[in-house]
Amino acid sequence: MQIAIVATAGSMMSAITGLADMFWITNQLLPASTEASRFRIAIVSPDGKPVADAQGRAIAVDGAFASISAPDVILACGMALGGNKLPATTSPEAVAWLRQQHQRGAKIGGACAGGYLLGDAGLLDGRECATTWWLYPTFRARYPRAKMVWGKALIEERNVITTGGPLSWVDLALHIIRQHAGDEVARMAADMTVADSQPLSQQIYAPRGFLNTIDPLLLRAEQLIRYENPAITVEELASALNLSPRTLHRKLADLTHESPKHFITRVRIESACLLLENPSANIRHVAAACGYTEDTAFRKAFNQLINMTPAQYKLWAAARNTKHGH
């Protein structure tokens, strides 16, 4: 599998060299007889010349875009952003190349702010996609035709992969390795690099309620669910907001690409995460406080959103708070 890693002015060197190293380590894990499973890596820039990374250091490259005739996968990484959370510099050459190569049939991946290159190439239009939690409002405004999904660590749709987080290139690499070389090789690569073989939901890192700050309607709806009636129904929420259920559905679809039911569930689970960070919290009591009458329904909803059980999250939060001195 030929993988091209895009280097443009302002790219994060750690992501570019980290991706190259991850695939190189994976190659070392493969038996000599499995040549078909190996990865061929090329770091490429528009003209084949070194480019300055986000801190001004030179990133060495293997060649120009034109030197890679038909890569199977092209990966774009994080880059320097300005105060407006938009790329400090742009690369029209990279945007055009990504668009052309995707039309040819290549799989395109974007980690963190690398997603800007995919968005500018039109590759996010009409697709579900992920981005770093703190870039969600910016991406949503810049690419209104994209179907941004809040909190997801990684999404692939129709040969386009997006991930969130400056270090999410690890998730991107493991995803490619899993697809091409299988689950066992991906697990070995994760173990060798001491990485999580399955990415954690970004929702465990984002401040609770962060997404709802993008619009007053969301803030009011969150307040109704979190503080006034955790067991509120869609119809009751719409009525409290002086909207019809249909209008509420349309407004939430425009603002967050969520259904009202999913919005209510997300706010409930965000509340549950806060409560579970208390070491003495009882999971059954937390479920009831968040509007759930059945433990089973609570555990299922929690697992679907956070990618771990409430008990696992409680342990994770305790370990994290201990590590950070809370």
Side-chain angles (χ1 to χ4, degrees):
M1 172 173 274
Q2 175 71 64
I3 297 180
I5 302 171
V6 174
T8 60
S11 291
M12 286 180 61
M13 186 184 294
S14 62
I16 289 174
T17 56
L19 278 168
D21 285 346
M22 181 71 87
F23 290 114
W24 176 79
I25 289 169
T26 303
N27 282 340
Q28 309 313 303
L29 297 171
L30 295 169
S33 59
T34 56
E35 189 62 34
S37 298
R38 293 184 180 279
F39 299 93
R40 287 184 292 126
I41 310 302
I43 299 172
V44 292
S45 66
D47 56 6
K49 296 178 181 178
V51 297
D53 78 348
Q55 300 180 62
R57 299 184 179 93
I59 301 175
V61 304
D62 299 308
F65 292 162
S67 68
I68 307 294
S69 59
D72 300 294
V73 177
I74 303 173
L75 304 178
C77 309
M79 62 184 74
L81 301 178
N84 57 1
K85 297 180 181 177
L86 294 173
T89 59
T90 58
S91 174
E93 302 91 345
V95 168
W97 190 59
L98 289 176
R99 185 187 301 118
Q100 173 196 19
Q101 291 298 318
H102 183 262
Q103 291 171 349
R104 181 191 58 77
K107 181 173 291 192
I108 311 294
C112 192
Y116 279 117
L117 292 178
L118 279 61
D120 289 352
L123 302 184
L124 303 184
D125 292 353
R127 283 182 171 83
E128 286 196 349
C129 48
T131 188
T132 308
W133 63 264
W134 44 270
L135 287 176
Y136 182 96
T138 314
F139 265 75
R140 182 181 156 273
R142 188 175 176 94
Y143 309 115
R145 295 176 63 190
K147 298 178 180 178
M148 308 302 303
V149 179
W150 169 251
K152 266 294 185 92
L154 183 149
I155 294 175
E156 177 172 353
E157 184 178 340
R158 288 177 286 140
N159 258 10
V160 172
I161 313 166
T162 46
T163 65
L167 299 181
S168 66
W169 56 265
V170 176
D171 300 331
L172 184 58
L174 290 172
H175 180 75
I176 298 293
I177 293 164
R178 187 176 298 108
Q179 285 187 329
H180 182 61
D183 291 340
E184 181 61 20
V185 173
R187 186 191 63 76
M188 290 166 57
D191 289 349
M192 283 290 291
T193 54
V194 198
D196 288 318
S197 58
Q198 293 294 335
L200 297 174
S201 169
Q202 288 192 69
Q203 295 196 52
I204 64 177
Y205 299 108
R208 307 303 167 217
F210 175 85
L211 176 60
N212 303 329
T213 62
I214 66 176
D215 191 90
L217 174 70
L218 300 180
L219 286 173
R220 176 60 184 142
E222 177 186 37
Q223 183 180 29
L224 287 164
I225 300 162
R226 181 171 289 182
Y227 302 112
E228 298 182 28
N229 183 8
I232 199 168
T233 65
V234 171
E235 291 73 19
E236 289 169 343
L237 180 61
S239 177
L241 294 169
N242 297 315
L243 301 172
S244 69
R246 185 173 181 178
T247 301
L248 177 62
H249 192 285
R250 178 175 55 78
K251 285 183 175 292
L252 287 177
D254 289 342
L255 289 168
T256 65
H257 299 292
E258 292 175 296
S259 69
K261 183 178 179 181
H262 188 278
F263 177 86
I264 291 172
T265 299
R266 176 171 61 77
V267 173
R268 284 176 170 181
I269 298 305
E270 286 179 352
S271 297
C273 286
L274 282 173
L275 295 173
L276 288 169
E277 289 179 17
N278 183 334
S280 63
N282 176 285
I283 292 174
R284 183 169 294 176
H285 294 165
V286 168
C290 295
Y292 288 91
T293 55
E294 297 179 8
D295 284 1
T296 305
F298 170 66
R299 294 173 195 274
K300 181 179 179 182
F302 194 98
N303 208 358
Q304 285 179 337
L305 256 71
I306 307 300
N307 288 348
M308 60 176 87
T309 66
Q312 288 170 333
Y313 178 83
K314 199 167 184 291
L315 291 171
W316 178 87
R320 185 172 188 247
N321 288 338
T322 299
K323 182 178 180 182
H324 293 291
H326 297 309

